[in-house]
Amino acid sequence: SSGINAEWPLRPGADNVTSPLELVEQYSEKLAYMPYTFFIGDHCHMFPHLMKYEEVVEGLSNPLVTGKAEGRIITPIKDKTLNLFPYDTPPSVGKPTKWRCSIEDNPHSSLDQKPDHVPPADGQESPLHVRPYIMPPTLRSAYGLPENGIIYCNFNQLYKLDPGTLHCWCKILLRVPNSYIWLLKFPAIGESNVQAKAAEYGVLPGRIIFSNVAPKEEHVRRGRVADICLDTPLCNGHTTGMDILWSGTPMITMLGETLASRVAASQLTTLGCPELVATNYRQYEEIAVTLGNNPDELHAMKQKVRLARATSPLFNIAKFASDLQDLYRLIWDRHLVRHDHITDTTKRTLPANRLLCTEPLLRPVDPDDYMRIIQQHSAPSWRPY
């Protein structure tokens, strides 16, 4: 946090969804709301090729629901020369120009560029430097995923996955025929624990699929072959949430009572998809099941998310910087008059009846039982010399 002076500490990194006044007791500072979300990601400059090249073969038709086994090729952005925020291109990457980005568009690559060239994840080389840019197709088979069926995913570290959420995920799998959940071996030791617990909930082997952690560009790109991201409510995907939304995959989240459990809701609200925000596990499950069992609704939601990347404020870093500058000026002006929360800057939020969670994410635990569990699992298996 930062402050104008010692008498008026401020938290300008806040917004009405992550930090509503109903939860203000969690903060020692006064809140200063950004108009949209306080979270920001530079995906439009790091991975513009994922916007420009949208051809992905996906098994969007669930054969057990529709009776059809074929997938579809979705190309929501047909303009191959789309410029992303041309007024906001940093000098280091030059000005956006017309460039081709599919293998079909450019069968003959330049001598210094291999067909599978992918820019590094550290941002040192922008795809705008490479013309024409060629990106290999992203296929489910490359990750051991079934070509048909519904693929739910979550790419967070497994420590964010609590038993209640895993139980909810398993109920979703049991209600959506031919569906799977795609997770990361992050860490690898967690895979066996998750599989064992899922089996207790009645999920057959093979319905939860694990992959290795990937480099950043591949991590973002491969999210496109999933159908729906199931966020972890207790501690949301923050940067991971931005990654999956930039890939064009819808994300379902559930509001908690802490900032860490409300970031994804803020991202989705800013993106213009508040219908993907649940206030309890029942709503969370129903949204996931409805999309999983209705290919047309899922396809429409994917189109909405993919197009909103270029039209919403979520990935627009120039607007974020401008809004933050305006907020700092307002903080200075207000501190001369009164020391209070700055909330009238909000431009997009959730309805009042959907701003708070309606059930606790975790069940109350008796303190004595908690300490007994900690002591059982904290004894080292080794002894010092």
Side-chain angles (χ1 to χ4, degrees):
S1 63
S2 58
I4 295 296
N5 55 42
E7 296 179 356
W8 193 32
L10 262 290
R11 177 177 285 272
D15 60 68
N16 182 256
V17 176
T18 56
S19 309
L21 290 182
E22 290 83 351
L23 302 177
V24 73
E25 70 276 0
Q26 299 181 14
Y27 303 93
S28 60
E29 312 99 324
K30 296 295 184 180
L31 300 176
Y33 286 165
M34 291 288 288
Y36 300 97
T37 181
F38 83 96
F39 210 88
I40 188 64
D42 194 20
H43 292 66
C44 65
H45 294 128
M46 292 180 66
F47 313 112
H49 56 296
L50 299 188
M51 172 77 78
K52 299 183 181 229
Y53 181 76
E54 280 294 332
E55 189 170 359
V56 184
V57 180
E58 299 176 337
L60 288 179
S61 297
N62 188 331
L64 297 184
V65 175
T66 65
K68 300 178 181 179
E70 73 276 7
R72 10 178 138 174
I73 298 178
I74 51 176
T75 54
I77 300 178
K78 297 181 179 180
D79 181 9
K80 299 290 186 179
T81 63
L82 176 68
N83 286 342
L84 293 181
F85 314 130
Y87 53 84
D88 181 34
T89 303
S92 61
V93 300
K95 295 182 178 180
T97 61
K98 293 183 179 181
W99 56 294
R100 295 170 295 180
C101 45
S102 74
I103 295 176
E104 292 76 11
D105 285 342
N106 184 40
H108 305 290
S109 61
S110 58
L111 295 178
D112 60 347
Q113 181 185 352
K114 297 180 180 180
D116 60 350
H117 173 81
V118 172
D122 59 10
Q124 296 302 312
E125 174 192 3
S126 166
L128 292 176
H129 281 141
V130 184
R131 301 183 179 89
Y133 176 73
I134 299 177
M135 186 176 70
T138 308
L139 303 175
R140 288 183 171 185
S141 58
Y143 302 102
L145 302 171
E147 293 295 341
N148 297 295
I150 298 299
I151 303 295
Y152 297 99
C153 76
N154 183 284
F155 295 155
N156 287 323
Q157 295 189 56
L158 293 176
Y159 79 84
K160 294 187 176 184
L161 177 57
D162 63 281
T165 298
L166 178 59
H167 190 196
C168 182
W169 289 358
C170 291
K171 289 192 290 184
I172 293 169
L173 287 180
L174 295 175
R175 294 180 61 190
V176 180
N178 199 25
S179 62
Y180 306 83
I181 290 184
W182 183 19
L183 305 176
L184 297 185
K185 300 176 182 179
F186 202 10
I189 194 174
E191 178 179 0
S192 59
N193 296 332
V194 171
Q195 297 283 21
K197 196 65 179 177
E200 293 181 15
Y201 293 138
V203 174
L204 297 176
R207 300 289 296 277
I208 301 181
I209 301 169
F210 281 82
S211 291
N212 292 320
V213 177
K216 182 67 173 182
E217 193 277 342
E218 181 185 0
H219 160 74
V220 178
R221 173 164 49 88
R222 70 181 177 179
R224 303 192 299 166
V225 304
D227 291 302
I228 305 162
C229 172
L230 298 177
D231 188 35
T232 44
L234 191 61
C235 184
N236 298 168
H238 296 179
T239 301
T240 310
M242 298 289 282
D243 292 340
I244 198 68
L245 291 175
W246 184 253
S247 77
T249 298
M251 174 175 63
I252 301 171
T253 192
M254 172 181 159
L255 287 164
E257 295 182 342
T258 64
L259 185 147
S261 64
R262 302 176 65 88
V263 171
S266 176
Q267 295 169 350
L268 287 168
T269 302
T270 300
L271 190 67
C273 300
E275 62 270 37
L276 297 176
V277 179
T279 62
N280 53 55
Y281 275 121
R282 180 185 55 80
Q283 290 181 4
Y284 181 98
E285 179 182 340
E286 289 302 321
I287 296 171
V289 171
T290 298
L291 291 177
N293 284 331
N294 294 274
D296 291 337
E297 290 190 26
L298 176 59
H299 186 68
M301 181 56 65
K302 282 194 167 189
Q303 299 282 50
K304 180 178 180 179
V305 170
R306 285 180 167 138
L307 294 175
R309 293 173 299 175
T311 58
S312 78
L314 184 60
F315 296 100
N316 191 333
I317 60 174
K319 179 167 182 53
F320 182 91
S322 176
D323 288 342
L324 186 59
Q325 289 175 341
D326 292 342
L327 185 58
Y328 281 139
R329 295 189 187 98
L330 183 59
I331 290 172
W332 176 254
D333 293 340
R334 292 280 182 90
H335 102 282
L336 299 174
V337 180
R338 65 183 184 276
H339 298 175
D340 201 359
H341 302 291
I342 298 178
T343 62
D344 55 353
T345 50
T346 299
K347 293 183 179 179
R348 186 174 294 178
T349 186
L350 290 168
N353 62 346
R354 293 183 54 211
L355 194 57
L356 301 176
C357 61
T358 56
E359 69 179 32
L361 293 181
L362 295 177
R363 296 178 181 177
V365 177
D366 181 85
D368 294 334
D369 291 340
Y370 178 77
M371 291 306 301
R372 191 177 304 111
I373 294 173
I374 292 296
Q375 291 170 1
Q376 291 175 353
H377 292 276
S378 62
S381 59
W382 52 271
R383 292 291 182 268
Y385 292 109

